[in-house]
Every structure is written in C-alpha cells, then in structure tokens.
Amino acid sequence: MPANDHTPSDPPLIPASPPIAGLLLAAGGGRRLGGRPKALLPYRGRPLVENAVRVLREAGCGPVHVVLGASAAEVRERADLAGCMVVDNPDWAQGMGSSLRVGLTSLAGTGARAALVSLVDQPGIGPAAVARVLAAYRSPTSLVAAAYDGERGHPVLFGADRWADIAATATGDKGARVHLARHAEELMLVECADIAEAFDIDTPPDLARLL
C-alpha cells in the first residue's frame, strides 16, 4: 500500500473549486447479464445511469460527462440525462479503455482541472465517498483513488496533466491500469470502506443488490 494512504475528514457536499468534472463510464453491454445494458438496469424505479449521475452531482462534480455505448439510443430515450454532456463510444465492445479515451477527449476545453471517473454499475458508492475523493485534489497532477480496506477501487481522480498519457495507454479492459501502475508511488488512496460498498453489478445474482 502506498505510504500516502489516508482518510481525510469528510468534506461538505459542495462543488469543488477549481472545477472537477465527473466522468461516468456507462457503455457496458452487460454480457454476463444476458446482454442487458448496465445503464438501463432498473434501480429505485429508474434507469441505473440516473443514480450514477445524481451521485456525481451531489458530491460536487461539474460538469458531468456520460459515455454511452450499448443501446445508446435507447438510454438517451429512457434516461433523464438533462444537463449532462452525453457522448457515444462506437467502440464500446472493445472494453473500458475505449470509453475512458472517449470521455477524456470530451473534456477537452471544459476548463476542468481534473476528472473523477466513476462506473455506472456501482450503486453502493454514494456522494459521501465521491466527495471524500474530490477533497484530496491538490493540482492538475493529482492522482487519487478510493480504497476499500486498503484495496484500490473507484472512483478515481485524474488531474488534467495526466489525461494525455492515460488516453494513450488505455486499451481493452485495462482502463487506466497502465498509468496507475507506472505512477503507483504518486497515487493517493482515500479509504472509503466506512461509507461505501464497492460491489459491481456483473452477474444475475448481483441484480438482487438493486432491489
């Protein structure tokens, strides 16, 4: 575990300054769920993607960009994504890396100093955990991740100075793992196990967690 692991006191849920964008990766096709797009899984009566957007906003992220892929047109039709910048990833089937590249590209020119990346299928991670990670931002070189009992998880915050390298190395399902491995000594882990659960909705038994 990196030596700079820490748990800061929980900040108030107010917008961060300078602006930190929320980047929601919601392109997955739910292959192990029988091809049900994760963005459209029902959660509290609405598509799961709406919950993920709400979490980012309540934590203080802005702007919020959403990357869609599987059944993108249907997601746009059924989910309320008003106020978000919604971008499509035509190569979503190639893995998370392609969605991360599309999302970071969409942030160019927004003035955001960092991007907080979250996944659509982790409803156990709420605004408090996201705000805790946001509070660890220091500069455009910041590299921060939530940790759960010391293990790195999501969300992950990338300072803008890192975006180009992340986009260049994000392939397949690796996402930003190459960049994170190369810069492990610079990574700040923020413990969030006391306020969030980092489970994924990947298989049919996981759907019970959405009830």
Side-chain angles (χ1 to χ4, degrees), residues 36-76:
R36 300 172 64 183
K38 291 187 176 183
L40 289 175
L41 293 175
Y43 182 62
R44 298 178 179 176
R46 297 297 303 167
L48 186 58
V49 66
E50 291 184 12
N51 173 74
V53 167
R54 176 191 61 80
V55 167
L56 291 174
R57 285 180 170 153
E58 290 186 5
C61 291
V64 173
H65 287 216
V66 181
V67 181
L68 301 180
S71 302
E74 185 179 0
V75 176
R76 287 173 180 269

Side-chain angles (χ1 to χ4, degrees), residues 67-100:
V67 181
L68 301 180
S71 302
E74 185 179 0
V75 176
R76 287 173 180 269
E77 179 181 347
R78 291 177 52 189
D80 181 2
L81 300 176
C84 296
M85 172 61 72
V86 182
V87 293
D88 292 345
N89 173 18
D91 301 318
W92 63 269
Q94 294 180 8
M96 186 188 303
S98 63
S99 291
L100 184 56

